[in-house]
Amino acid sequence: MSSKKGRVTVHSKLTVVPSKQIRPGTTHPLSTLDHAMGLHTLHIIFYYRENLFHSFDLDPLRESLSEVISLYPPVTGRLTRVDNGNWEVKCNDAGVRVIRARVEVTLDEWLRSADGSEERDLTMLEEMPHNPNMWSPFQIQINEFEGGGVAIGLSCSHMHADTTSATLLFKSWTENRRKKPIEHPPFFNPQQALCGRPIPNTHTKSLKYHATMSKASVTTSTATFKFSNSVIQQCLTEVHEDCPNATPFDLLAALFWARVARLKGPKNDSEHSLSICIDFRMQLQLPFGYFGNALHFSVLSLKGGEIGRATLGQVVKLVHGHVLGIEEEEFWTTIDWFESQKGEGGKFAQPFRMYGPELTCISLEHMAVPSGVAGCPATSSLIYASAFDKNNKPVHVSYNVGNVEGEGLIVVMPSSEEGLSRTVMVTLPEKELAELCEDQAIMRLEPTMLLSGKS
């Protein structure tokens, strides 16, 4: 096996600017929730079996990307401070940084032997400088593997976009490349769409998450588990008596929460908590292309002994009931709370880590498209619809959040296989992750292991 040291080599950088200029003086103020994500970055990697860019012939790439980013002025702009100290984007058509790199192994070897730390080499995002006027908040890295595979990494400041926004930006690029209409065009209206209400409410249960933020620092690792459609179907059948309407997210969030809690050991009278992160575009009837952050965090807790005694079906029922029980008022209350933290002149408070300190589980269940919708023959995924041609869909997609500290992060997302198949990315302290990768309750489901550092 090749040495893992330095297997990704960056060899060039360029800037792609939009094909159409925006009106001078256009700005994009960041919303309440955008400011709250200020400590984090977002990194998405799309892996393809074939390299459609013909050994980095970038002319077709530049043309299609240039056309698409013309629809996304905040993507090509630069951050600046307004008079009260809050952030906004100066939409000046400065462009998107594009990085080209080579990987010294094949795609299959990489997926088999790389780990989460090494995968970050595929999505390098320069740290935001003190003065970000020249800093590109969106960067794309095209990584060519030996033998023809390619990984395209999209990195951005989490203040600019959440997982849905970033995914749809990338998907729009692939649609433009195929000369197809943009299915989910961007919608920009942060100040009116998601802002505090004249009569705020800051007293609902979801605020427990934000009120208990703290900091932690440990060395973490990441592993990826892929579960087949048939396995998920079988597991949902097994928990049907406890939770007949369980979703794949309910099942996998409950399974990994219970197994991680076991690894962390008994807490006696203290609680094992799971912070659940969901997208609320549909619940608030926002356009699906709403560009920015539309994420809600809430906490589900069990006494230390209870989670150990509960069956999987019982924990699934708790997760399902918690997610189903999040009402619209909870979303607005969180926005009201962040607005209430403003200081003199309306300046937003300093951001804190949104992912942590509790074990955090992100649901991308809203990215699955059910049967019969938009002509889909079976449950499929908007994530894997990001195809540069009809015969070359992604074989794997990774989602990583930067600057996560605390007890760990779990991401549950649709997989490349249609139906109920799901991919779970888990970031934990190194020792805990090593034990989780050998956990019999998980291994009995025969997951395909990717990017776990094991060859």
Side-chain angles (χ1 to χ4, degrees):
M1 184 183 73
S2 302
S3 169
K4 293 183 181 180
K5 183 177 181 180
R7 294 195 292 181
V8 180
T9 304
V10 172
H11 58 81
S12 66
K13 298 180 181 181
L14 59 90
T15 299
V16 175
V17 298
S19 60
K20 298 177 181 178
Q21 292 185 340
I22 195 169
R23 177 173 54 85
T26 300
T27 60
H28 174 75
L30 297 185
S31 74
T32 304
L33 297 184
D34 294 338
H35 277 84
M37 307 305 295
L39 293 184
H40 298 292
T41 54
L42 185 62
H43 310 265
I44 309 176
I45 305 170
F46 295 82
Y47 291 91
Y48 295 88
R49 184 66 62 187
E50 296 179 15
N51 182 358
L52 295 181
F53 300 118
H54 308 296
S55 299
F56 294 109
D57 175 6
L58 288 182
D59 287 340
L61 165 67
R62 278 190 222 178
E63 180 181 351
S64 58
L65 181 58
S66 178
E67 290 174 358
V68 164
I69 59 179
S70 295
L71 304 175
Y72 291 82
V75 169
T76 64
R78 297 296 183 260
L79 278 171
T80 187
R81 295 277 194 184
V82 296
D83 291 342
N84 65 1
N86 291 334
W87 289 110
E88 72 175 14
V89 181
K90 183 179 181 181
C91 301
N92 57 5
D93 297 326
V96 172
R97 197 86 70 235
V98 177
I99 301 165
R100 300 164 57 188
R102 293 189 180 91
V103 188
E104 295 179 359
V105 296
T106 65
L107 172 60
D108 289 334
E109 170 68 11
W110 177 268
L111 293 175
R112 185 169 60 247
S113 64
D115 57 24
S117 176
E118 191 179 19
E119 191 183 37
R120 285 193 284 272
D121 290 342
L122 303 180
T123 59
M124 297 182 200
L125 180 65
E126 298 168 358
E127 187 173 345
M128 184 172 71
H130 179 70
N131 183 353
N133 290 342
M134 301 298 292
W135 177 70
S136 176
F138 283 79
Q139 299 184 15
I140 294 172
Q141 183 166 322
I142 302 172
N143 308 275
E144 185 179 28
F145 293 94
E146 294 291 334
V150 65
I152 306 176
L154 171 64
S155 299
C156 65
S157 156
H158 211 322
M159 285 198 298
H160 283 71
D162 61 11
T163 50
T164 301
S165 295
T167 301
L168 294 182
L169 165 63
F170 191 89
K171 181 172 175 285
S172 296
W173 178 23
T174 66
E175 289 165 342
N176 180 272
R177 177 67 187 270
R178 301 197 319 270
K179 306 302 180 184
K180 299 292 184 181
I182 304 301
E183 184 179 8
H184 300 288
F187 171 77
F188 306 103
N189 197 4
Q191 295 293 59
Q192 295 182 32
L194 295 177
C195 60
R197 298 171 292 183
I199 304 177
N201 175 12
T202 59
H203 299 288
T204 56
K205 57 187 178 182
S206 291
L207 296 187
K208 178 182 177 182
Y209 182 89
H210 308 296
T212 57
M213 290 294 97
S214 62
K215 295 182 179 180
S217 181
V218 294
T219 302
T220 61
S221 296
T222 301
T224 300
F225 306 75
K226 295 186 75 170
F227 298 93
S228 69
N229 174 66
S230 59
V231 163
I232 297 298
Q233 283 185 324
Q234 177 60 36
C235 290
L236 290 174
T237 300
E238 292 173 3
V239 302
H240 183 269
E241 184 174 346
D242 288 300
C243 190
N245 298 316
T247 67
F249 171 78
D250 300 331
L251 170 71
L252 292 167
L255 172 64
F256 279 86
W257 181 29
R259 304 318 293 174
V260 171
R262 185 188 66 84
L263 293 176
K264 292 183 180 296
K267 292 193 174 185
N268 300 321
D269 292 332
S270 61
E271 296 179 329
H272 282 287
S273 296
L274 181 70
S275 172
I276 297 177
C277 173
I278 64 170
D279 183 289
F280 59 71
R281 284 172 173 79
M282 294 180 182
Q283 289 89 336
L284 293 191
Q285 299 182 336
L286 291 171
F288 201 64
Y290 171 79
F291 193 84
N293 284 278
L295 300 177
H296 179 75
F297 295 82
S298 59
V299 174
L300 174 60
S301 299
L302 280 174
K303 294 292 184 182
E306 291 178 352
I307 196 167
R309 293 189 297 269
T311 65
L312 177 59
Q314 290 170 334
V315 182
V316 170
K317 182 179 179 180
L318 287 170
V319 173
H320 179 78
H322 177 84
V323 174
L324 200 63
I326 301 174
E327 299 178 350
E328 180 178 335
E329 183 63 18
E330 298 284 332
F331 307 133
W332 289 116
T333 297
T334 299
I335 296 170
D336 287 342
W337 184 85
F338 278 110
E339 291 276 357
S340 73
Q341 305 303 301
K342 285 181 175 178
E344 185 177 355
K347 183 178 181 180
F348 287 106
Q350 290 297 312
F352 48 77
R353 284 181 175 81
M354 298 292 291
Y355 300 92
E358 310 291 356
L359 181 67
T360 303
C361 188
I362 302 174
S363 171
L364 297 183
E365 201 71 13
H366 65 289
M367 301 296 280
V369 181
S371 173
V373 175
C376 296
T379 300
S380 58
S381 167
L382 293 175
I383 298 170
Y384 286 88
S386 298
F388 284 93
D389 70 33
K390 64 180 180 179
N391 298 317
N392 193 19
K393 295 182 178 181
V395 295
H396 178 62
V397 179
S398 289
Y399 285 82
N400 293 281
V401 178
N403 200 19
V404 173
E405 293 185 358
E407 294 201 4
L409 181 66
I410 302 167
V411 184
V412 181
M413 71 191 83
S415 194
S416 54
E417 178 188 359
E418 290 188 344
L420 301 177
S421 63
R422 293 294 184 269
T423 297
V424 181
M425 294 183 63
V426 183
T427 301
L428 289 172
E430 290 180 343
K431 183 177 182 296
E432 292 177 9
L433 185 69
E435 294 180 18
L436 188 74
C437 289
E438 298 178 356
D439 185 277
Q440 291 305 304
I442 294 175
M443 290 299 106
R444 77 174 182 89
L445 306 184
E446 300 181 346
T448 300
M449 301 293 296
L450 299 175
L451 299 161
S452 60
K454 298 180 179 181
S455 57

